[in-house]
């Protein structure tokens, strides 16, 4: 009986630590994509900090970790960015979108 209790306790601990590890991994990846997107916009695309109205990270479909950016002069449009092949790239609006109403659409 004592061995059974020890095995059940060990299995429960492994399950709990696995869940905590998965949760921590997701939180870290969301933080990392948000930070990398901010640095990309400031350092590479040369936006001023004041031009970015909001920046948040989210879990997406297909590309799991994404950053959503809203610019100060276009607060009704959300631009999505993701890390693709080691680089931050804009995934929405995509190049296939032919609407010219996007001020910050990347070519």
């Amino acid at each position: 009986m004592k061995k059974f209790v020890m095995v059940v306790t060990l299995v429960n601990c492994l399950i709990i630590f696995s869940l905590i590890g998965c949760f921590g991994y997701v939180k870290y990846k969301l933080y990392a994509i948000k930070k990398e997107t901010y640095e990309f916009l400031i350092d590479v695309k040369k936006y001023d900090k004041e031009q970015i109205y909001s920046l948040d990270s989210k879990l997406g479909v297909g590309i799991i970790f994404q950053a959503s950016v809203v610019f100060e002069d276009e607060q009704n449009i959300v631009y999505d960015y993701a890390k693709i092949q080691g680089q931050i790239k804009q995934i929405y609006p995509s190049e296939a979108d032919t609407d010219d109403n996007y001020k910050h659409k990347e070519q």
Side-chain angles (χ1 to χ4, degrees):
M1 186 67 170
K2 193 174 184 181
K3 282 187 176 184
F4 177 74
V5 171
M6 287 179 59
V7 169
V8 169
T9 303
L10 179 63
V11 169
N12 285 337
C13 287
L14 288 173
I15 290 171
I16 290 170
F17 286 133
S18 295
L19 291 173
I20 291 171
C22 289
F23 179 75
Y25 174 77
V26 169
K27 293 299 265 184
Y28 168 75
K29 292 297 281 185
L30 289 172
Y31 167 78
I33 191 68
K34 183 176 178 179
K35 181 177 182 277
E36 289 177 35
T37 302
Y38 181 77
E39 290 171 352
F40 171 77
L41 293 172
I42 299 297
D43 298 337
V44 177
K45 292 296 181 180
K46 304 297 184 198
Y47 284 105
D48 289 330
K49 295 174 186 177
E50 294 80 29
Q51 289 179 287
I52 299 172
Y53 180 73
S54 70
L55 173 66
D56 202 10
S57 56
K58 65 180 180 179
L59 293 173
V61 178
I63 299 173
I64 297 176
F65 302 104
Q66 301 175 6
S68 298
V69 179
V70 176
F71 292 97
E72 188 69 41
D73 61 345
E74 221 175 8
Q75 294 183 12
N76 58 334
I77 297 176
V78 178
Y79 293 85
D80 289 332
Y81 290 83
K83 192 168 190 174
I84 301 171
Q85 297 175 346
Q87 295 180 333
I88 300 294
K89 295 187 180 190
Q90 189 179 75
I91 58 174
Y92 181 81
S94 66
E95 292 177 6
D97 291 325
T98 57
D99 190 3
D100 290 334
N101 293 334
Y102 301 111
K103 294 179 184 177
H104 303 281
K105 180 179 169 185
E106 295 179 10
Q107 301 300 325

Coordinates of all heavy atoms in Angstrom, one line a residue, residues 22-36 57-59 64-67 83:
C22 N 4.4 23.7 -19.2 CA 3.8 24.1 -20.4 C 3.2 25.5 -20.3 O 3.3 26.3 -21.2 CB 2.6 23.1 -20.7 SG 3.2 21.5 -21.2
F23 N 2.6 25.8 -19.2 CA 2.1 27.2 -19.0 C 3.2 28.2 -19.0 O 3.1 29.2 -19.6 CB 1.3 27.2 -17.6 CG 0.8 28.6 -17.3 CD1 -0.4 29.0 -17.9 CD2 1.4 29.4 -16.4 CE1 -0.9 30.3 -17.7 CE2 0.9 30.6 -16.1 CZ -0.3 31.1 -16.7
G24 N 4.3 27.9 -18.3 CA 5.4 28.8 -18.3 C 6.0 29.0 -19.7 O 6.4 30.1 -20.1
Y25 N 6.1 27.9 -20.5 CA 6.6 28.0 -21.9 C 5.7 28.9 -22.7 O 6.3 29.8 -23.4 CB 6.7 26.6 -22.5 CG 7.1 26.6 -23.9 CD1 8.4 26.8 -24.3 CD2 6.1 26.4 -24.9 CE1 8.8 26.8 -25.6 CE2 6.5 26.4 -26.3 CZ 7.8 26.6 -26.6 OH 8.2 26.6 -27.9
V26 N 4.4 28.7 -22.6 CA 3.5 29.6 -23.4 C 3.6 31.0 -23.0 O 3.7 31.9 -23.9 CB 2.1 29.1 -23.3 CG1 1.1 30.1 -23.9 CG2 1.9 27.7 -24.0
K27 N 3.7 31.3 -21.7 CA 3.8 32.7 -21.2 C 5.1 33.3 -21.7 O 5.2 34.5 -22.2 CB 3.8 32.7 -19.7 CG 2.4 32.4 -19.1 CD 1.4 33.3 -19.6 CE 1.1 34.4 -18.6 NZ 0.1 35.3 -19.0
Y28 N 6.2 32.5 -21.7 CA 7.5 33.0 -22.2 C 7.5 33.3 -23.7 O 8.0 34.4 -24.1 CB 8.6 32.0 -21.9 CG 9.9 32.4 -22.6 CD1 10.7 33.4 -22.1 CD2 10.3 31.7 -23.7 CE1 11.8 33.8 -22.8 CE2 11.4 32.0 -24.4 CZ 12.2 33.1 -24.0 OH 13.4 33.4 -24.6
K29 N 6.9 32.4 -24.5 CA 6.8 32.6 -25.9 C 6.0 33.9 -26.3 O 6.3 34.6 -27.2 CB 6.3 31.4 -26.6 CG 7.2 30.2 -26.6 CD 8.6 30.4 -27.3 CE 8.4 30.3 -28.7 NZ 9.7 30.4 -29.5
L30 N 4.9 34.1 -25.5 CA 4.1 35.2 -25.8 C 4.8 36.5 -25.4 O 4.7 37.5 -26.1 CB 2.8 35.1 -25.0 CG 1.8 34.1 -25.4 CD1 0.6 34.0 -24.5 CD2 1.2 34.4 -26.8
Y31 N 5.6 36.5 -24.3 CA 6.4 37.6 -23.9 C 7.5 37.9 -25.0 O 7.7 39.0 -25.4 CB 7.0 37.4 -22.6 CG 8.1 38.4 -22.3 CD1 7.8 39.7 -21.8 CD2 9.5 38.0 -22.4 CE1 8.8 40.6 -21.6 CE2 10.5 38.9 -22.1 CZ 10.2 40.2 -21.7 OH 11.2 41.1 -21.5
A32 N 8.1 36.8 -25.5 CA 9.2 36.9 -26.4 C 8.7 37.5 -27.8 O 9.4 38.4 -28.3 CB 9.9 35.6 -26.6
I33 N 7.6 37.1 -28.3 CA 7.1 37.6 -29.6 C 6.7 39.1 -29.4 O 6.9 39.8 -30.3 CB 6.0 36.7 -30.1 CG1 5.7 37.1 -31.6 CG2 4.7 36.8 -29.3 CD1 6.7 36.8 -32.6
K34 N 6.1 39.4 -28.3 CA 5.8 40.8 -28.1 C 7.0 41.7 -28.0 O 7.1 42.7 -28.7 CB 5.0 40.9 -26.7 CG 4.5 42.3 -26.4 CD 3.7 42.3 -25.1 CE 3.2 43.7 -24.8 NZ 2.4 43.7 -23.5
K35 N 8.0 41.3 -27.3 CA 9.3 42.0 -27.2 C 10.0 42.1 -28.5 O 10.5 43.2 -28.9 CB 10.2 41.3 -26.2 CG 11.5 42.0 -25.9 CD 12.3 41.3 -24.8 CE 13.6 42.0 -24.5 NZ 14.6 41.7 -25.4
E36 N 10.1 41.0 -29.2 CA 10.8 41.0 -30.5 C 10.1 41.9 -31.6 O 10.7 42.5 -32.4 CB 10.9 39.6 -31.0 CG 12.0 38.8 -30.2 CD 12.0 37.3 -30.7 OE1 11.9 37.1 -31.9 OE2 12.2 36.5 -29.9
S57 N 0.4 40.3 -27.4 CA 0.7 39.0 -28.0 C -0.5 38.1 -27.8 O -1.3 38.3 -26.9 CB 1.9 38.4 -27.4 OG 1.8 38.3 -26.0
K58 N -0.6 37.1 -28.7 CA -1.8 36.2 -28.6 C -1.4 34.8 -29.2 O -0.4 34.7 -29.9 CB -3.0 36.8 -29.4 CG -2.7 36.9 -30.9 CD -3.9 37.5 -31.5 CE -3.7 37.6 -33.0 NZ -4.8 38.2 -33.7
L59 N -2.2 33.8 -28.9 CA -2.1 32.5 -29.5 C -3.0 32.6 -30.8 O -4.1 32.9 -30.8 CB -2.6 31.4 -28.6 CG -1.8 31.2 -27.3 CD1 -2.5 30.2 -26.4 CD2 -0.4 30.7 -27.7
I64 N 1.4 29.8 -34.2 CA 0.8 29.8 -32.9 C 1.0 31.1 -32.2 O 0.1 31.6 -31.6 CB 1.4 28.6 -32.1 CG1 1.1 27.3 -32.7 CG2 1.0 28.7 -30.6 CD1 1.7 26.1 -32.1
F65 N 2.2 31.7 -32.1 CA 2.5 32.9 -31.4 C 2.5 34.1 -32.3 O 3.3 34.1 -33.2 CB 3.8 32.7 -30.6 CG 3.8 31.5 -29.7 CD1 4.5 30.4 -30.0 CD2 3.1 31.6 -28.5 CE1 4.4 29.3 -29.2 CE2 3.0 30.5 -27.6 CZ 3.7 29.3 -28.0
Q66 N 1.7 35.1 -32.0 CA 1.6 36.2 -32.8 C 1.5 37.5 -32.0 O 1.2 37.4 -30.8 CB 0.3 36.2 -33.7 CG 0.2 35.0 -34.6 CD -1.2 35.0 -35.3 OE1 -2.0 35.9 -35.2 NE2 -1.4 33.9 -36.1
A67 N 1.9 38.6 -32.6 CA 1.8 39.9 -31.9 C 0.8 40.8 -32.7 O 0.8 40.8 -33.9 CB 3.1 40.6 -31.8
K83 N 6.9 35.4 -36.0 CA 8.3 35.1 -36.3 C 8.2 33.9 -37.3 O 7.8 32.9 -37.0 CB 9.0 34.7 -35.0 CG 10.5 34.6 -35.2 CD 11.2 34.5 -33.9 CE 12.7 34.7 -34.1 NZ 13.4 34.8 -32.8

